[in-house]
Amino acid sequence: MHLTAVSLAFVAALSSALAVGPWRATTYDFDDSSGLGRQYDGIGGLSGGGATSKLLVNYPEKERNEILDYLFKPNFGASLQILKVEIGGDAQSTDGTEASHMHNSWDENYQRGYEWWLMVEAKKRNPNIKLYCLPWGFPGWVGQGSRNPYQVPEVTADYIIRWINGAKTVYGLTMDFVGIWNERPYNSTYIKTLRKMLDERGFSNVRIVAADGKWPNIVSDILADPSLASAVDYIGCHYPGTLSTDDALKTGKQLWASEDYSTYNDEVGGGCWARILNKNYAVGRMTATISWNLIASYYNPLPFFRDGLMTAVEPWSGNYNVDTPIWLSAHTTQFTQVGWKYLEHGAGVGLLEGGGSYVALVSPDKKDFTIIVETMSHNHSLCIRPPLPAYDVVPQTMNIQLKGSFANIKELNVWYSKLGFDGQQSIMFQKKDALQLKNGMGSASLGMDEVYTFTTVTTGDKGQYDAPPPSKSFPLPYSDNFDNYTLSTEPYNLAPQVGSFEVVNSSDATHKLIVRQTVINDPIEWCPLSLVFPMALGGNGSWSDIYVEVEALVGKVNATDGVFVAARVQNGGCQSYSAKGIFFFVFPAQQYYIISYDLARTQQISSGAVSSEVMDWNKISLLVTGTTIQGQVNGKSVFNIQAPKMTKNGFVAIGTDTYGLADFDNFMITTASDGRRIMRENEERAHAKAKHTLYFEPEKH
């Protein structure tokens, strides 16, 4: 990899920063006389990769609308300009699975999942927001008998285009961009096929971003293959560390940090975000930056907890947090629009002599002009990846000299943020007195860990709602009979980690709506290991003593062999296959049960026969207290044993033995004390029923 000239200049500037004295004044020209730089493509957030917006959907309407306003409403909060979403593929893709619109080749359904809803809500608030879609995994049938989504390129392209068409015809959503396969191998033939089929089906407006990985391979292929270059519109790199390459620039394509940030959203996370938003262009000439993830709305401790622009993890209480990245986004998004142009490097874009960076952008009609300056110090702006080379930042004075079309501007509106450390409070997105200019010149004193916006735009605003409700623990007792859901949606507080769990009509008159595990074959996984134990977890990852029960039905066609309930479940995400906990499997056809310390059943505790009174629908109950576990099937005790090696705490879960259909209903969680009472009452009813049956004599006529 070769560093760009700008990258080398960046390194040199960092090296010299130590020698710059405090409050040294340096003049920086802002001048469009010699032309403009690249077009600005926007700042965005990513919902998916996967299931990162899971808990947002069932927030109380008031708080949910407030959260959506903080994310998308122009001149209010983050005012995001791009929304990137996952095309669900029934496969685990970081924090869960997202349902495919086509579980099977004969199946097509555009009510599944919550990305449609999220895109509609984003568009309500900002009709100009750009929409970008990308698959992480694919249903197994797409591979046509292989584990390769490019086995028959036309099949995969058709699968993707059907999703794009569903967005258009069902929801009135126009996709602006589509990707290939997130952080996994791309295929040049597939990219060309996708472009051809998009054009043939009336989606020539949908531009292709490739390849959502790193620079070298896709760049070299584009340079070597004119037909591939014609098919690809944008080159997307993940976690570039603000660096691009000479070869990437030679392609002439717009360069994007199509996934970046992925950092805990405290003050250091805010510093990371502020630094890369500027330096992705100042150093790497990247014209869009997209945060993974949009909103941290998934259970703790699933992977990368709170790596979002804001946090919303308690739909039962309505509590949420507006975190620092929201306001540091606003410094750019509230004072620019997609389609503006950056000024040229050295004439409005560059690195500060005392450390930090600045970028300037201008509207197409040149009536509006914005400068964003950041002075994030090294230790207060560390991102989760890649490693950040050492550098220093010192207090300094920035003399702003406007020239060219901007020479006659008399004042610039000023917005200011400062991240607080060592007991200091952060100042977020504060409007300051305007910067007065004389002969196009004005000065600003820059401290450390600060962001300034200097702009002619007058519409910026720091939106604010009353404080959300206080935080509360997951409520107990908790029950869900799934009868109040819309068909094809997911249960609200169950987070699928493997497989897809979907509300459907029951074929049994005694049940109305039920939840079905719908994946019948291995998907083409994004995670490195194939996960074959469907599981949906929920509740509280710190639960220890707990009771959980569910009714389950194993069907006759395309069915799994067994079902389970579990407690103290740990290890979600791509490590779900190795999840630890207490798993109570029941195999109705075999009238058999297994208790295991792990989902994969490599550490079995006990096994044996279940009562011969196993039915079609079976109520499975599990009580965990201390090191004791008790289980019932249909109210009859199956085991009461010690399990001294069990995990200390974790979620509850339901799931299936393998991929295959199974139905669930009347899910309940409660305290251990309630659980003991319920199990005792179950036993009494079962005993009374058996006694009644034994002594019952038919009436004589």
Side-chain angles (χ1 to χ4, degrees):
M1 181 184 290
H2 299 288
L3 295 178
T4 65
V6 176
S7 304
L8 293 172
F10 170 59
V11 174
L14 296 182
S15 300
S16 65
L18 287 170
V20 179
W23 304 108
R24 174 179 172 177
T26 306
T27 299
Y28 301 89
D29 290 342
F30 295 83
D31 189 356
D32 63 346
S33 300
S34 59
L36 298 173
R38 295 186 167 221
Q39 177 177 298
Y40 170 72
D41 292 319
I43 291 171
L46 200 170
S47 175
T52 52
S53 303
K54 168 66 185 175
L55 297 175
L56 176 61
V57 185
N58 60 307
Y59 256 76
E61 184 177 8
K62 175 179 180 293
E63 285 76 26
R64 188 175 64 190
N65 282 330
E66 292 171 1
I67 292 166
L68 292 165
D69 285 351
Y70 280 118
L71 291 169
F72 300 119
K73 186 177 179 180
N75 302 311
F76 189 86
S79 306
L80 294 175
Q81 297 155 327
I82 303 171
L83 173 58
K84 182 177 179 180
V85 302
E86 177 176 353
I87 298 175
D90 293 338
Q92 168 62 244
S93 53
T94 298
D95 286 288
T97 62
E98 299 205 24
S100 172
H101 59 295
M102 296 180 71
H103 293 317
N104 304 290
S105 59
W106 60 85
D107 162 65
E108 201 167 349
N109 184 319
Y110 296 96
Q111 306 306 316
R112 296 179 185 132
Y114 32 84
E115 304 299 359
W116 315 108
W117 164 81
L118 185 61
M119 289 186 286
V120 167
E121 293 296 325
K123 278 286 187 180
K124 278 183 189 176
R125 288 159 173 80
N126 178 8
N128 295 320
I129 197 169
K130 302 296 183 182
L131 299 178
Y132 174 6
C133 57
L134 173 70
W136 266 248
F138 302 85
W141 67 267
V142 172
Q144 299 292 285
S146 76
R147 310 299 298 151
N148 176 12
Y150 311 125
Q151 183 75 9
V152 182
E154 292 79 7
V155 169
T156 305
D158 175 72
Y159 169 79
I160 296 297
I161 293 170
R162 285 176 184 268
W163 190 96
I164 292 170
N165 185 62
K168 181 74 173 177
T169 58
V170 179
Y171 297 98
L173 297 167
T174 298
M175 290 300 114
D176 297 286
F177 313 105
V178 61
I180 308 307
W181 187 11
N182 183 75
E183 294 177 355
R184 293 295 176 261
Y186 61 89
N187 178 281
S188 294
T189 299
Y190 168 71
I191 294 173
K192 297 173 198 176
T193 301
L194 179 61
R195 177 72 274 156
K196 178 175 179 291
M197 291 177 63
L198 282 166
D199 293 343
E200 290 172 349
R201 298 194 187 179
F203 293 107
S204 57
N205 62 295
V206 181
R207 313 318 299 167
I208 291 178
V209 183
D212 281 296
K214 296 300 182 184
W215 301 116
N217 291 340
I218 188 66
V219 165
S220 60
D221 284 350
I222 285 172
L223 290 173
D225 184 347
S227 60
L228 178 63
S230 178
V232 174
D233 299 282
Y234 301 83
I235 301 177
C237 180
H238 287 196
Y239 307 99
T242 74
L243 301 175
S244 61
T245 67
D246 288 336
D247 283 348
L249 293 170
K250 285 178 185 175
T251 66
K253 305 289 183 183
Q254 293 280 88
L255 309 180
W256 285 10
S258 55
E259 183 178 322
D260 215 336
Y261 179 62
S262 186
T263 299
Y264 193 85
N265 58 23
D266 58 5
E267 278 68 23
V268 173
C272 157
W273 185 234
R275 176 175 56 79
I276 64 177
L277 286 182
N278 258 31
K279 287 181 178 172
N280 275 347
Y281 189 76
V283 176
R285 287 184 167 86
M286 286 165 271
T287 57
T289 299
I290 299 173
S291 165
W292 188 87
N293 49 66
L294 169 75
I295 181 166
S297 199
Y298 42 96
Y299 285 116
N300 184 23
L302 289 176
F304 304 104
F305 182 66
R306 268 189 66 177
D307 282 17
L309 298 179
M310 63 182 292
T311 307
V313 294
E314 291 186 12
W316 47 87
S317 74
N319 181 261
Y320 63 86
N321 295 312
V322 183
D323 297 303
T324 57
I326 290 291
W327 303 118
L328 296 167
S329 303
H331 274 279
T332 300
T333 56
Q334 289 203 24
F335 308 106
T336 61
Q337 298 288 336
V338 173
W340 283 34
K341 289 285 188 75
Y342 285 99
L343 298 191
E344 288 189 333
H345 282 73
V349 174
L351 301 173
L352 297 168
E353 286 194 18
S357 64
Y358 62 98
V359 295
L361 302 97
V362 61
S363 63
D365 59 9
K366 296 193 175 181
K367 290 183 178 179
D368 278 311
F369 170 71
T370 293
I371 303 168
I372 306 103
V373 180
E374 62 81 22
T375 60
M376 294 298 132
S377 60
H378 179 277
N379 291 348
H380 292 163
S381 66
L382 295 167
C383 300
I384 195 170
R385 65 178 76 84
L388 182 61
Y391 69 91
D392 201 4
V393 176
V394 296
Q396 56 198 294
T397 297
M398 181 182 193
N399 294 327
I400 296 171
Q401 178 65 67
L402 304 188
K403 298 181 178 180
S405 302
F406 320 121
N408 294 323
I409 293 175
K410 302 299 182 185
E411 68 175 23
L412 293 170
N413 299 306
V414 180
W415 290 82
Y416 170 74
S417 292
K418 183 177 181 65
L419 294 167
F421 298 94
D422 301 322
Q424 294 182 336
Q425 286 290 105
S426 292
I427 300 169
M428 286 286 107
F429 203 57
Q430 182 183 85
K431 195 172 192 308
K432 308 280 278 186
D433 292 339
L435 178 66
Q436 302 301 315
L437 305 172
K438 184 175 182 180
N439 298 322
M441 171 74 82
S443 295
S445 296
L446 310 179
M448 296 168 61
D449 301 318
E450 296 180 341
V451 179
Y452 278 92
T453 299
F454 305 99
T455 182
T456 59
V457 176
T458 59
T459 52
D461 191 21
K462 185 176 183 180
Q464 187 171 352
Y465 288 111
D466 292 339
S471 174
K472 294 181 182 177
S473 297
F474 192 99
L476 290 177
Y478 176 83
S479 62
D480 199 341
N481 65 9
F482 312 118
D483 289 343
N484 295 318
Y485 289 85
T486 302
L487 285 174
S488 303
T489 56
E490 282 181 3
Y492 288 142
N493 293 315
L494 282 172
Q497 298 300 298
V498 184
S500 182
F501 292 75
E502 180 177 324
V503 175
V504 300
N505 281 310
S506 173
S507 58
D508 183 337
T510 62
H511 297 261
K512 296 179 182 179
L513 298 185
I514 57 173
V515 167
R516 176 168 295 158
Q517 198 296 112
T518 56
V519 179
I520 61 176
N521 295 304
D522 286 21
I524 299 172
E525 294 281 3
W526 181 80
C527 293
L529 293 175
S530 183
L531 306 170
V532 295
F533 312 104
M535 174 178 70
L537 56 76
N540 189 319
S542 66
W543 277 340
S544 179
D545 293 356
I546 202 76
Y547 174 84
V548 56
E549 71 175 35
V550 73
E551 294 180 28
L553 168 69
V554 174
K556 306 299 182 185
V557 180
N558 290 329
T560 185
D561 292 325
V563 290
F564 71 80
V565 293
R568 298 192 187 178
V569 177
Q570 300 177 341
N571 306 89
C574 286
Q575 301 301 312
S576 293
Y577 69 94
S578 62
K580 304 295 188 295
I582 293 295
F583 295 86
F584 177 19
F585 285 87
V586 175
F587 301 87
Q590 294 80 22
Q591 297 187 1
Y592 197 75
Y593 79 91
I594 293 174
I595 304 297
S596 178
Y597 284 124
D598 64 338
L599 177 60
R601 302 198 303 277
T602 65
Q603 302 176 53
Q604 292 188 19
I605 305 167
S606 176
S607 62
V610 180
S611 164
S612 60
E613 294 185 9
V614 168
M615 301 177 288
D616 287 342
W617 279 95
N618 296 285
K619 182 165 74 172
I620 308 169
S621 309
L622 176 66
L623 173 64
V624 179
T625 54
T627 59
T628 301
I629 53 175
Q630 300 175 61
Q632 291 180 338
V633 175
N634 297 325
K636 288 190 175 182
S637 179
V638 176
F639 59 85
N640 185 337
I641 57 178
Q642 293 296 306
K645 298 179 182 178
M646 77 169 85
T647 51
K648 287 184 168 49
N649 50 51
F651 296 101
V652 300
I654 60 173
T656 59
D657 162 55
T658 59
Y659 288 120
L661 304 181
D663 295 342
F664 299 91
D665 202 1
N666 297 320
F667 176 62
M668 186 181 68
I669 319 165
T670 191
T671 63
S673 58
D674 273 353
R676 279 189 289 269
R677 174 185 55 78
I678 291 168
M679 281 190 154
R680 186 169 58 250
E681 292 171 355
N682 286 344
E683 289 281 5
E684 290 170 355
R685 279 193 295 268
H687 179 72
K689 180 180 178 183
K691 185 176 180 181
H692 176 74
T693 302
L694 181 63
Y695 292 104
F696 176 75
E697 294 183 6
E699 182 179 352
K700 294 180 181 180
H701 297 280

